[in-house]
Amino acid sequence: VEIRLGQDAVKHAEVVDVSVSVFETRRDEPLAQSLQSVELRNLSSVVADDALRSVQALPGVTASDDFYASFSLRGWGFEKTGLYIDGVLISSPFHTIRGINDGYSLTILNNDMIDEVTLLNGGAPAAFGDRVGGTLRIETREGGRDRAAVRASLGAAGASFVAEGPIGSPNTSWLLGARKSFLDYVVQALDDQPSFVVGYHDVQAKLSHRFGAGSLSLFLLAGDSTYKDEEPGQQRNDVARASADT
């Protein structure tokens, strides 16, 4: 019996660099810091599988609260930092409940679907010049083109799974990921009257197609987060139950 052991995040990549113009917009600055899929998994929080919490370990990045995925970069607030997913500027892809004191935020991205995260401290190329602060670029990976595969994982706060495979020809692939937290069930089982209970679930999907030297991809993400506070003596304007969709 032969058992092969290896890292599950090892993947095959094909890269072709063609320089046709001096006005290349995807050329990173010398201060660019990148995290690969294996590093994202090692640096992410034990409770929360969050790519942005891995970025908080980079130099120049400061997190003001352990419950929030946002951060400040070189003194700039998170609203001054441009967050790009596959080159598209995103405002706030978070699980969060606003208007409460004991809040939280979690990125609606499964780490298993991320190929690379690059942080630019300043002086970003023209394609990423819509923010005065730094730039955080998240590149999602494409689905496997050889055969279909499914991977599931169980963490301290929830479960997640990723499925991928080709569609018809090897030039087209699909990638599907989802997460569901069960920490809210655990808290309610351990405490009859917990101070507050939070929960979330999300789903991500990507469809990619290669034609010649170009490619076309469609990436969708959706999530829902819930909050429940049943402390006695709540004021009239306190938030007791809330739900937020993204």
Side-chain angles (χ1 to χ4, degrees):
V1 177
E2 182 180 357
I3 301 177
R4 298 180 177 228
L5 301 178
Q7 295 179 347
D8 56 354
V10 175
K11 61 184 183 304
H12 174 72
E14 298 178 358
V15 179
V16 178
D17 295 329
V18 180
S19 299
V20 296
S21 173
V22 296
F23 300 101
E24 176 62 43
T25 60
R26 297 301 302 273
R27 188 173 301 163
D28 293 336
E29 62 170 359
L31 298 179
Q33 306 172 80
S34 299
L35 295 175
Q36 305 297 327
S37 56
V38 178
E39 298 171 320
L40 291 173
R41 181 173 302 177
N42 294 335
L43 294 175
S44 60
S45 175
V46 177
V47 177
D49 182 17
D50 195 342
L52 261 64
R53 297 183 187 273
S54 304
V55 177
Q56 294 176 1
L58 294 176
V61 180
T62 304
S64 58
D65 195 331
D66 293 336
F67 291 98
Y68 287 86
S70 58
F71 55 85
S72 61
L73 176 63
R74 300 175 62 183
W76 292 102
F78 188 77
E79 67 278 1
K80 305 297 183 180
T81 301
L83 175 60
Y84 293 83
I85 299 179
D86 291 340
V88 178
L89 181 62
I90 305 297
S91 59
S92 57
F94 296 124
H95 292 296
T96 186
I97 302 294
R98 295 176 175 86
I100 58 178
N101 294 327
D102 300 326
Y104 74 100
S105 65
L106 183 71
T107 312
I108 309 180
L109 275 177
N110 195 329
N111 276 1
D112 292 331
M113 300 190 65
I114 298 178
D115 183 35
E116 185 182 30
V117 174
T118 302
L119 179 66
L120 306 179
N121 290 335
F128 309 104
D130 293 332
R131 291 292 187 271
V132 297
T135 299
L136 181 63
R137 192 176 71 240
I138 299 177
E139 298 291 340
T140 60
R141 66 183 183 89
E142 297 181 355
R145 303 180 184 275
D146 298 331
R147 57 184 177 85
V150 178
R151 181 171 66 252
S153 61
L154 184 65
S160 65
F161 93 98
V162 174
E164 57 185 312
I167 298 180
S169 65
N171 294 328
T172 307
S173 64
W174 59 274
L175 180 63
L176 178 65
R179 297 184 303 176
K180 177 67 174 70
S181 67
F182 54 75
L183 189 60
D184 48 345
Y185 302 107
V186 176
V187 172
Q188 295 181 81
L190 296 178
D191 193 351
D192 295 335
Q193 294 181 348
S195 58
F196 65 94
V197 179
V198 297
Y200 67 89
H201 64 271
D202 54 51
V203 61
Q204 307 89 25
K206 184 174 183 178
L207 181 65
S208 303
H209 177 70
R210 295 180 182 178
F211 50 92
S215 63
L216 178 65
S217 64
L218 175 65
F219 181 74
L220 302 175
L221 62 87
D224 178 77
S225 55
T226 58
Y227 174 86
K228 182 172 64 174
D229 189 354
E230 297 182 351
E231 288 187 355
Q234 284 185 321
Q235 301 297 324
R236 182 179 300 271
N237 294 327
D238 291 344
V239 178
R241 294 175 181 265
S243 176
D245 300 329
T246 299

